[in-house]
Amino acid sequence: MEYASETEVGTAGKHVRSLSAALNQVLFGQSELVDLVLTGVLARGHILLEGLPGLGKTELVKGLSKTLRLGTKRVQFTPDLLPGDITGNPVLQEIDGRRAFVFQPGPLFTNIVLADEINRASPKTQSALLEAMQERRVTVLGETHELPKPFFVLATQNPIELEGTYPLPEAQLDRFLFKLEVTRNNVETLEKIVTQRELGAEPKVEAIMDAATLEDVLNLVRRIYLPDVVANYIARLVDGTHPGQSNAARGIRYGASPRAALSLASAAKARALMNERTHASFEDVRFVAPAVLRHRIVLEYNARVEGLSNNDVVRSLLEEVPFQGGATPKTLKPVTTA
C-alpha cells in the first residue's frame, strides 16, 4: 500500500476543518462531540448518539448531511414500525401482461440514514439494520440488494431509563463504531442558543464537500500509517477488557470483540488525518477509545449494583494499560545525571 503523503493529508485536513467549523455552528458548545462525529464518518463507521430529548442530536445529523451534500432519509422509530418499513417490500405489479413482485426500496437506500430514537422500536425491527450496517446490503425474500456508497447509519437513542424504550441487542451495538453521549449545555451555551436560534427554525448550513471529495478523503484515511507499536497498544487494550486480563476488567462479564480492535485502528487513523498527520499515534487511540469501547463491554450484575459504569471501566483500563508493551529501549530512556 502507498501510504498517505503530507501534501495529501494537509489538503484533506483543510476540508475537515471547514466541516468542523460548520457543524460547530449547528451545535453550540459541543466541539469534542463534533470532532468525534467527524472522526466516525471518516472511519466509515456508524454512530449512536445517546442523550435526553432536545439536546440537538437530530440537528447535528441533519447538519452533517447538508455539509456533505449526500442523500439523507430519516426514519422515526416507533413501537409499531415493521422491518419492511425500513428495508423496503416487494410490491405486486403488472409487467408485460403478467403479475410479478417488484422490490420497492425503503429509506435505507440512501447515503445517510437518520434512525431517530432507534430504541423506541421493537427488537425485531431493530434487527432489520444488522445486515445493512455490516455488509452494506439488504436481503428481502432471498433477493439481495446493494446499498449506495458511502452508507452511514447515524442513530439517536434516549437513555434506557425513559419509558417506551427497548435496549439494543449486543450484536447491533457492536456494529456501531462509536457510542457518543450528548450532555446538557452550560449557562453560556444556553444563552447563545436563546439569542441565535428560533424555536422550530433549522440553522443554515452551507455545503462543504461533495460525494467525490468525501470518497477521496475516506480512501486517504485507509492509507494513514498505523505503526506496529500502536497496533500492539490497540490489541492490549481490547484484550484488557476481558475478565482476568486486567484489574479494570474485574466487573466485566463479556469483553470487546475483534471488531472493536478494527474500529480502534480505523478511528485512530481518521483522528490522525483530522490532525493532518500521516501516521496514527497512541494519543489518537486514547482519544477514541471511550467512544469505541463503552458500548462493547457487558458488566456483571453486582458491578452495576455497586454503581460501576462502562465509562468507569474504560477510564481505569486506559490508566492501567501502558503505551509500550515491554521495557523502553535504552536509546529512548532519559539520561540521568549525578
Side-chain angles (χ1 to χ4, degrees):
M1 178 188 293
E2 180 183 353
Y3 292 110
S5 66
E6 292 186 2
T7 302
E8 291 175 311
V9 170
T11 302
K14 293 178 182 178
H15 291 298
V16 176
R17 285 199 303 274
S18 298
L19 280 175
S20 178
L23 291 179
N24 275 299
Q25 294 305 308
V26 174
L27 198 64
F28 296 143
Q30 299 278 7
S31 58
E32 182 174 327
L33 175 65
V34 168
D35 284 349
L36 282 167
V37 168
L38 287 178
T39 302
V41 169
L42 295 181
R44 298 177 186 263
H46 309 295
I47 301 172
L48 179 63
L49 299 165
E50 180 180 82
L52 294 170
L55 295 180
K57 303 184 295 296
T58 303
E59 288 301 327
L60 176 61
V61 178
K62 289 162 64 177
L64 177 67
S65 66
K66 292 177 182 177
T67 57
L68 294 178
R69 265 190 286 188
L70 294 176
T72 307
K73 291 182 181 179
R74 175 180 176 178
V75 181
Q76 185 66 47
F77 280 65
T78 56
D80 60 346
L81 193 71
L82 298 175
D85 297 331
I86 305 172
T87 60
N89 285 304
V91 177
L92 189 61
Q93 294 184 355
E94 187 168 338
I95 302 176
D96 297 331
R98 61 184 181 86
R99 292 185 177 183
F101 283 103
V102 178
F103 178 71
Q104 296 295 323
L108 275 187
F109 288 80
T110 188
N111 298 118
I112 297 179
V113 177
L114 170 54
D116 215 359
E117 297 186 305
I118 188 173
N119 60 338
R120 290 201 179 276
S122 67
K124 179 179 180 180
T125 301
Q126 293 174 10
S127 66
L129 290 171
L130 292 178
E131 182 184 16
M133 293 174 67
Q134 178 61 29
E135 301 175 27
R136 266 70 174 183
R137 65 187 186 188
V138 169
T139 301
V140 179
L141 293 181
E143 186 177 354
T144 300
H145 309 272
E146 298 293 331
L147 294 171
K149 296 181 180 180
F151 174 75
F152 305 99
V153 174
L154 281 83
T156 70
Q157 76 168 6
N158 298 320
I160 197 63
E161 292 82 7
L162 297 188
E163 293 184 4
T165 59
Y166 298 86
L168 296 181
E170 285 75 12
Q172 184 166 354
L173 283 173
D174 198 35
R175 281 165 169 77
F176 283 103
L177 176 77
F178 286 168
K179 179 185 177 184
L180 305 178
E181 297 175 344
V182 185
T183 57
R184 68 180 184 87
N185 305 109
N186 57 30
V187 174
E188 292 75 13
T189 303
L190 286 172
E191 182 180 0
K192 188 175 182 180
I193 292 173
V194 170
T195 56
Q196 299 189 24
R197 290 283 190 270
E198 291 288 341
L199 185 63
E202 294 186 2
K204 294 182 179 180
V205 183
E206 295 184 359
I208 306 296
M209 283 190 196
D210 55 20
T213 304
L214 176 62
E215 188 62 29
D216 290 340
V217 175
L218 295 179
N219 290 332
L220 185 61
V221 169
R222 289 180 168 174
R223 294 165 50 206
I224 296 294
Y225 179 61
L226 182 71
D228 290 343
V229 289
V230 178
N232 177 259
Y233 178 55
I234 291 174
R236 287 183 289 110
L237 272 180
V238 173
D239 182 66
T241 64
H242 292 269
Q245 299 302 111
S246 67
N247 292 327
R250 288 178 180 175
I252 295 179
R253 185 178 183 185
Y254 301 115
S257 67
R259 188 184 282 131
L262 294 173
S263 298
L264 280 171
S266 297
K269 289 181 180 182
R271 179 67 180 171
L273 177 68
M274 291 182 64
N275 290 324
E276 298 184 23
R277 283 183 281 103
T278 58
H279 65 279
S281 67
F282 296 120
E283 288 74 16
D284 294 324
V285 178
R286 285 183 64 92
F287 180 78
V288 301
V292 171
L293 296 177
R294 64 164 57 104
H295 58 295
R296 288 185 161 97
I297 56 179
V298 179
L299 297 182
E300 294 278 3
Y301 174 76
N302 291 337
R304 297 198 304 270
V305 170
E306 293 172 1
L308 190 68
S309 69
N310 291 31
N311 287 333
D312 295 332
V313 172
V314 175
R315 193 179 303 112
S316 299
L317 185 68
L318 290 174
E319 293 174 357
E320 180 180 345
V321 179
F323 286 158
Q324 295 284 351
T328 304
K330 293 181 179 180
T331 54
L332 296 180
K333 290 183 178 178
V335 178
T336 57
T337 56

